[in-house]
Amino acid sequence: KFKNVTASYQQTTMADYDYDDEDLPDPSLKNIIEQESLQWIFVGGKGGVGKTTTSCCLGTQLAKHRKKVLIVSTDPAHNLSDAFCQKIGRDPTPILGFDNLSAMEIDATEDLDKMQRSMEDATGAGQDDDGSGIQALMSELTNSIPGIDEAMSFSELMKQVQNMDYDVVVFDTAPTGHTLRLLSFPTILEKAFGKIMDLKDRFGGLIGQASALFGGGSPDQVQDALIGRLEETREIINKVNTAFQDPALTTFVCVCIPEFLSIYETERLVQELSKFGIDSHNIVVNQVLFPEKDAEELGEWFDSNKDGLQKEAREICSKMMARKRMQDKYIGQCFDLYGDDFHVVLMPLLDHEVRGVDKLKDFSELLINPIDLEE
């Protein structure tokens, strides 16, 4: 679908579209704030498009209307600490300036190690030995089924979050590929459980005996611990997956910038979310040059004033105009693809970084109060 649109609208700009606010969904995230039933909000998209800033801004707005809000970073390259200008750890950390907003940055490797230690304690391994049997089994499992380590880590996170009393959780996700893998965890765990059960049926206690030989506790204990942990993980993930597929509880906010690769990635993400049955009806377009103006309007000004500008100023304005025309083309395609069904929010490119609570609060207002495209 996207390739066809790209071919048909290569020369399209925003000026070619007739934006009527009455015909389009409200270009803001006000619908998310007003939907009080929402418990899980995912924010995702291509790397470097402003997912963390959007997540933090959304969290600050939600904090005005909800009792307790949590922002969770599932991206291995965490940025929440940088955005809020304060140290944020793997446990919920209160955000300075708020009494109902917290944030946490999870570490999949550390969570998996913690899970492994708990299994060693449960089987008696690690008391008189180094628990290498459990380590060998976990290593074999993660190597045989790619993504199982992240799936088990995610289940630990969800179990932890569900035991807290937060009204809504905002997930600042990793770039698109990692996010789609996160959504496929139920399938991964089914494969893992099937593989383990198949090995158990075929070889009986051989797995446990082998691990016990290396100091992993008694055969039955090791086998039961591993299968029990997988079963627990599968139950949590399936329960969470059911909630994720309920549009009353979960929604996904797609974030992009007005460039070809980012718009293309957004289309891919929207299609994949549809396959997983996850609601998505909001798109945030970041780094937009003068959202309230179009290239044609600015071009008329430039053409009538360029002769009076110095050479350097003309070059700067010329490059800005080229960027504005390119952005308008892709913003036009974005409205053509999603404008009828999605809330498309245009966020301006600022002349400063959005870091710290005060700047995040100010910028977050633009998510709620739409820019009038007809001004």
Side-chain angles (χ1 to χ4, degrees):
K1 176 183 176 182
F2 181 80
K3 290 180 180 178
N4 293 334
V5 171
T6 303
S8 301
Y9 290 87
Q10 264 187 327
Q11 302 303 320
T12 302
T13 68
M14 285 180 68
D16 296 309
Y17 289 83
D18 182 17
Y19 295 114
D20 188 342
D21 291 346
E22 296 181 359
D23 296 335
L24 300 177
D26 181 37
S28 77
L29 297 189
K30 204 176 295 182
N31 64 96
I32 291 180
I33 305 299
E34 294 174 348
Q35 188 177 341
E36 297 182 357
S37 64
L38 281 177
Q39 296 178 6
W40 316 101
I41 301 172
F42 288 86
V43 179
K46 193 175 182 295
V49 297
K51 297 184 297 295
T52 298
T53 300
T54 302
S55 300
C56 295
C57 287
L58 186 55
T60 61
Q61 285 295 324
L62 286 166
K64 295 180 180 180
H65 301 84
R66 301 293 192 97
K67 292 182 179 179
K68 291 189 69 176
V69 180
L70 177 66
I71 304 174
V72 179
S73 173
T74 62
D75 188 342
H78 300 299
N79 291 306
L80 291 181
S81 296
D82 296 327
F84 283 112
C85 295
Q86 71 174 86
K87 178 62 178 175
I88 293 174
R90 59 187 313 277
D91 294 317
T93 305
I95 299 301
L96 301 177
F98 294 88
D99 57 8
N100 63 339
L101 177 63
S102 300
M104 61 188 289
E105 300 176 337
I106 66 168
D107 185 336
T109 303
E110 191 171 338
D111 284 343
L112 199 65
D113 290 342
K114 181 180 178 182
M115 186 188 310
Q116 182 175 302
R117 288 194 297 271
S118 70
M119 289 177 64
E120 290 170 1
D121 293 340
T123 60
Q127 297 175 0
D128 301 318
D129 49 65
D130 60 1
S132 58
I134 294 291
Q135 293 175 11
L137 274 179
M138 293 297 287
S139 177
E140 178 62 28
L141 188 62
T142 55
N143 289 333
S144 300
I145 308 166
I148 183 63
D149 53 341
E150 291 175 290
M152 297 179 78
S153 171
F154 183 68
S155 77
E156 288 293 301
L157 165 68
M158 296 310 299
K159 184 166 66 173
Q160 180 183 357
V161 170
Q162 286 178 326
N163 290 332
M164 302 174 187
D165 57 344
Y166 289 97
D167 296 333
V168 61
V169 179
V170 179
F171 289 94
D172 175 30
T173 68
T176 306
H178 293 276
T179 302
L180 294 178
R181 187 164 60 189
L182 178 148
L183 299 175
S184 67
F185 283 168
T187 304
I188 291 174
L189 286 171
E190 286 297 331
K191 290 181 180 178
F193 200 74
K195 188 179 183 73
I196 292 295
M197 295 306 293
D198 182 56
L199 288 174
K200 178 188 177 186
D201 293 339
R202 289 168 59 189
F203 300 108
L206 190 60
I207 298 175
Q209 291 171 9
S211 63
L213 186 64
F214 290 101
S218 70
D220 289 339
Q221 281 180 318
V222 172
Q223 186 170 278
D224 291 344
L226 182 59
I227 293 174
R229 174 64 66 163
L230 277 175
E231 176 63 35
E232 179 187 1
T233 300
R234 184 174 68 163
E235 288 178 2
I236 293 172
I237 291 289
N238 284 340
K239 179 181 178 183
V240 167
N241 192 51
T242 300
F244 284 177
Q245 292 177 339
D246 185 349
L249 301 176
T250 306
T251 193
F252 200 107
V253 179
C254 300
V255 183
C256 65
I257 57 177
E259 295 181 5
F260 172 79
L261 288 179
S262 184
I263 298 293
Y264 181 86
E265 193 90 342
T266 301
E267 172 65 6
R268 173 183 167 225
L269 178 58
V270 168
Q271 290 181 357
E272 290 296 322
L273 290 172
S274 178
K275 290 180 184 177
F276 285 115
I278 296 177
D279 173 73
S280 177
H281 59 274
N282 291 279
I283 294 178
V284 176
V285 185
N286 280 324
Q287 302 179 22
V288 179
L289 285 167
F290 311 111
E292 73 284 1
K293 302 181 184 297
D294 59 45
E296 183 178 354
E297 181 182 352
L298 292 175
E300 291 174 356
W301 173 88
F302 181 56
D303 289 339
S304 62
N305 290 276
K306 64 181 178 181
D307 292 337
L309 300 175
Q310 295 182 358
K311 180 182 177 182
E312 292 81 1
R314 282 201 307 271
E315 290 178 351
I316 292 172
C317 289
S318 179
K319 290 183 183 297
M320 185 274 292
M321 285 303 308
R323 171 66 60 170
K324 177 61 176 171
R325 290 189 185 97
M326 182 199 73
Q327 286 197 353
D328 279 10
K329 179 176 72 173
Y330 292 119
I331 291 172
Q333 291 179 16
C334 188
F335 272 99
D336 183 73
L337 281 168
Y338 311 111
D340 292 338
D341 306 306
F342 283 68
H343 299 267
V344 180
V345 189
L346 302 184
M347 298 294 284
L349 177 67
L350 303 180
D351 54 5
H352 60 79
E353 291 183 300
V354 184
R355 294 187 62 211
V357 170
D358 291 338
K359 289 182 179 178
L360 285 168
K361 283 182 177 179
D362 291 341
F363 196 58
S364 71
E365 291 296 325
L366 297 176
L367 285 175
I368 307 304
N369 300 311
I371 293 174
D372 190 349
L373 297 178
E374 296 183 349
E375 277 190 354

